[in-house]
Amino acid sequence: MMNDYIIAEIPKEAGFTQQYYRIGALKKTNDKWSVESPKQADIDKDGKNDWTAESFTCGKCHAPGIETGSPSYGVSCESCHGPGGNHVSATDKKGTMSPEVAKTSCNNCHESNPSKDDQGNYTANTHYGTRNYFASKHAQSSQLNQCLTCHTTHKANTSGSLLPTDNPTDNCVKCHAGKTFDLD
């Protein structure tokens, strides 16, 4: 979905509240492409919907290169690792990202400051809804290497998740051998 958006940078002097807006989306149906508006409203009150723009606040996480001027608009090395100069100038390349920096990098988009909803469930500030991870023994354990205990950083599995195995329960068995899991 993010790869289908048409984004426009708005000059500051234009007076808009955001710097970037979604002004369209590409849609493919069978072998034909079309451009659709991100939002429609009857702005001029003529009884017909007008093409309008939609805020592109999702770019901070889904297309960080747009705001930083990176040659790669999507999620790239510098999105998580910071400026590449640190790595280039380092003698020991492995030491350019500490576990604490890694945790902070993940939290830039995957915030770890949940709140409780009316039913007392923890809710993460992501698109994925309610998660109980933050209140779990995993989150409280000093044995885990934060996100990297269960997640990979550079290689997705066959379903596109940043997990080292295709079956999520196979990932759990690394620490919990002999247990059965129902992740649903």
Side-chain angles (χ1 to χ4, degrees), residues 9-118:
E9 182 174 9
I10 307 300
K12 289 182 182 181
E13 59 271 11
F16 285 73
T17 57
Q18 302 290 324
Q19 183 177 4
Y20 297 95
Y21 282 85
R22 204 165 22 115
I23 60 167
L26 293 172
K27 183 176 181 183
K28 185 175 183 184
T29 306
N30 298 321
D31 63 343
K32 300 206 187 271
W33 288 89
S34 61
V35 178
E36 297 181 346
S37 68
K39 187 175 178 180
Q40 293 186 7
D42 187 6
I43 303 296
D44 56 8
K45 309 294 183 212
D46 66 354
K48 297 182 219 167
N49 279 336
D50 300 301
W51 188 298
T52 63
E54 182 72 65
S55 177
F56 189 63
T57 55
C58 42
K60 177 181 178 238
C61 294
H62 292 278
I66 290 175
E67 293 184 18
T68 62
S70 172
S72 171
Y73 290 150
V75 177
S76 66
C77 303
E78 291 188 355
S79 303
C80 303
H81 292 271
N86 296 342
H87 181 74
V88 171
S89 64
T91 307
D92 179 9
K93 305 296 185 195
K94 291 181 182 177
T96 57
M97 190 171 187
S98 69
E100 190 56 37
V101 170
K103 176 184 173 187
T104 304
S105 293
C106 297
N107 286 340
N108 285 335
C109 293
H110 303 278
E111 292 183 59
S112 188
N113 58 345
S115 57
K116 287 188 177 182
D117 64 16
D118 293 337

Side-chain angles (χ1 to χ4, degrees), residues 104-172:
T104 304
S105 293
C106 297
N107 286 340
N108 285 335
C109 293
H110 303 278
E111 292 183 59
S112 188
N113 58 345
S115 57
K116 287 188 177 182
D117 64 16
D118 293 337
Q119 291 78 39
N121 297 314
Y122 282 95
T123 305
N125 293 329
T126 65
H127 302 293
Y128 307 111
T130 303
R131 290 287 185 255
N132 292 321
Y133 172 79
F134 307 102
S136 73
K137 291 179 183 176
H138 288 112
Q140 307 305 317
S141 171
S142 60
Q143 296 174 336
L144 295 179
N145 183 16
Q146 301 299 334
C147 310
L148 301 179
T149 299
C150 303
H151 292 277
T152 60
T153 54
H154 297 114
K155 185 179 179 191
N157 64 17
T158 56
S159 66
S161 297
L162 289 176
L163 293 172
T165 60
D166 291 330
N167 181 348
T169 57
D170 291 345
N171 197 36
C172 303

